[in-house]
Amino acid sequence: MRMFVISDNNDTCVGMRLAGIEGVVVHEYEEVARELARLIEDKDIGIILMTRKLISISRDLVYDIKLNRQRPLIVEIPDRHGDSSIGDSITTYIQEAVGIKI
């Protein structure tokens, strides 16, 4: 299984490439949707890393994949500006998925 990064900036993509992780840089909802559809069909991709900004503009697609598919795992990562509130989005995701407030 391989990892793949979908980023909204070159810095994140280059940093991941230095770690051996391939990726693409996209900016629009349609581009994100196209890449996610392509990666879902690739049986070698086990984990997709996505920057916080891209997840926020394509939340419906990401949640659909997370809730209805076993693979790939989509992991939200901070962008180069270092947003540290990812824990809040995990809490929100659990609240929406389970229907309880934690």
Side-chain angles (χ1 to χ4, degrees), residues 27-82:
H27 300 285
E28 303 295 326
Y29 178 89
E30 294 79 18
E31 295 172 312
V32 174
R34 184 175 53 247
E35 287 300 321
L36 285 174
R38 181 179 70 82
L39 293 171
I40 287 171
E41 297 304 318
D42 187 341
K43 302 297 183 203
D44 289 336
I45 301 296
I47 300 173
I48 298 173
L49 305 172
M50 289 182 67
T51 56
R52 183 171 181 82
K53 179 180 176 184
L54 292 180
I55 286 186
S56 69
I57 66 170
S58 61
R59 192 165 306 281
D60 59 330
L61 295 171
V62 172
Y63 281 2
D64 181 58
I65 293 168
K66 285 184 173 188
L67 292 172
N68 298 312
R69 296 183 173 268
Q70 292 182 346
R71 186 203 58 75
L73 174 66
I74 298 178
V75 178
E76 184 174 343
I77 60 171
D79 62 8
R80 64 189 170 126
H81 301 293

